[in-house]
Each structure stands twice: as C-alpha cells, then as structure tokens.
Amino acid sequence: MPANLAACGVVYIAFGQKARAEATASIATLQVYHTLPVAVISDSPLPGVRARFIPCEERGTPGRWAKVNLDTLTPFEHTLYLDADTRIRGQLWAGFRLLELGADLVIVPSRPQRADGLRHLRQEERERTLEELPLDPLQLNTGVMWFDRERCAALFAAWRAEWQRWRDKDQGALLRALERAPVVVRLLGFAFNDRNGRVVQHNFGACA
C-alpha cells in the first residue's frame, strides 16, 4: 500500500450505453478489493454508483479525447485509469507503489508486438508512426495505466497533439508522444491487463 494513500484514486471513461454498463460492472469488482475513491468521466452520472461524475465534451471516437485529457480531468495526484471493460480480481497497489518510487507512468505492454504491432491503426497512421519512431518500438496497452498527474503533464500535452493528427485510436499517438516528451516508464506484467489477467481481467471489445 502506498504511503500517501490520500493522493490515489481510480478513473473510468464511459460514453455510450455499453460503456456505462461495463463501467458499472467494473466498479463493483473494484470495490470488492479497494475503498479507493472513483471518478467517472462521462456525459451523465452513472445511476446507483458511488463515484464522482466528471463531465467532458466528447470528440471523435468515443472516449479517446477524454483519455488524452486525463491529466486535466482527473481529481487525483496519482491516478489509476481503467478501461470500462475491465474486471478487478486482486490488489492494485503495485502501480501506485511504483509511482511513489519515482515512476511517472506505469503500464502493461500489449500482447501484439513486432510485426503485429499497431495493426489496429489505420494504414497511414501506422506507417507514419513506424517511420517516426525507433526501430521496433515496444507496444503499450493504454487500457490500464497509473500516472502522476504533474510529472506527466508534458506527456499528455504531446499525446493530445499527436492524437489530433488522425483522431482515431490512442496507442500510436502515445508512442509518438513518448518520443517528444519522455517520462520514466515502469512496466507491469500481463496479470495487470490481459483477457486472462489474474489481477485485471480485460474483456477487450465489450464496449464496442
């Protein structure tokens, strides 16, 4: 457990009926293991859910604009962001503890790497991203991530700028942003973000 527990909280993004239902279910699993404060970025509060409502204007692909603005929207100094289609199966302190030890961003690698990396992007964005980055960049999954709000401010500003080039998915934009505004990144294993994750089970695509 982190020493400065008061600085920690969890944020979800939920636009649309499916995402709102998934976020409600995810929060229920989170609250089995944690009493951390929760905030939900959406166009209206989730009924019957003990969480702070944060309104946000949506642009483009649902949830993407909110995600690249998490540093300005989160009320927490140390934030754990969880995709709505996650289910919590264990303790989440590891990421917060790494932030206390000096990490700026804690994240889990994507399963697809190397030749399969960034296949979810439009062809133009994928080709340009690979041209602009060093050879064979490590792919990162943005569905679960811990970050320090202040230390990641420049990264998020770069992420917003990169996302607006294509206004579609966010992972390629994050990789390009990390080149422009590098931060201290620490990695956790697939237990914390995977379809079979022992700590965070991620039901990819459930909000689609």
Side-chain angles (χ1 to χ4, degrees):
M1 185 177 299
N4 188 10
L5 186 58
C8 303
V10 182
V11 172
Y12 289 84
I13 296 170
F15 287 91
Q17 184 176 354
K18 286 186 178 179
R20 289 164 62 79
E22 288 293 319
T24 299
S26 183
I27 293 168
T29 63
L30 170 71
Q31 291 174 340
V32 171
Y33 297 94
H34 291 283
T35 57
L36 286 163
V38 176
V40 179
I41 300 167
S42 185
D43 45 7
S44 61
L46 297 185
V49 174
R50 191 172 74 252
R52 176 174 176 176
F53 166 56
I54 300 176
C56 177
E57 175 190 2
E58 185 48 36
R59 302 184 189 179
T61 306
R64 306 295 182 182
W65 179 244
K67 186 180 284 190
V68 300
N69 280 278
L70 276 169
D71 67 314
T72 66
L73 294 169
T74 179
F76 311 118
E77 179 183 346
H78 286 174
T79 297
L80 165 58
Y81 166 75
L82 293 170
D83 270 1
D85 53 4
T86 55
R87 299 295 183 269
I88 308 309
R89 306 302 184 199
Q91 297 289 330
L92 299 166
W93 298 123
F96 289 114
R97 182 66 178 135
L98 287 170
L99 294 181
E100 280 198 335
L101 292 173
D104 302 326
L105 173 68
V106 180
I107 199 165
V108 177
S110 297
R111 283 283 187 184
Q113 295 288 339
R114 303 184 73 85
D116 293 326
L118 300 179
R119 291 291 186 187
H120 62 293
L121 300 185
R122 297 175 186 172
Q123 182 176 353
E124 180 187 5
E125 182 177 3
R126 182 176 186 274
E127 291 175 353
R128 290 289 298 278
T129 298
L130 293 174
E131 287 173 3
E132 294 173 18
L133 295 179
L135 181 66
D136 198 14
L138 178 68
Q139 312 299 308
L140 303 172
N141 191 313
T142 61
V144 178
M145 53 186 179
W146 294 255
F147 64 92
D148 180 285
R149 180 176 56 193
E150 182 176 351
R151 298 198 301 263
C152 283
L155 172 62
F156 273 92
W159 196 2
R160 283 188 286 277
E162 289 295 333
W163 181 82
Q164 290 188 87
R165 293 171 64 184
W166 281 277
R167 297 191 173 212
D168 191 27
K169 304 296 191 294
D170 55 75
Q171 291 94 331
L174 176 62
L175 295 183
R176 298 191 303 272
L178 282 165
E179 283 297 299
R180 291 177 49 184
V183 296
V184 178
V185 179
R186 294 288 180 263
L187 302 178
L188 288 175
F190 293 124
F192 288 89
N193 185 6
D194 192 62
R195 193 172 295 279
N196 298 309
R198 298 191 310 276
V199 181
V200 181
Q201 176 188 339
H202 197 160
N203 300 318
F204 298 105
C207 295

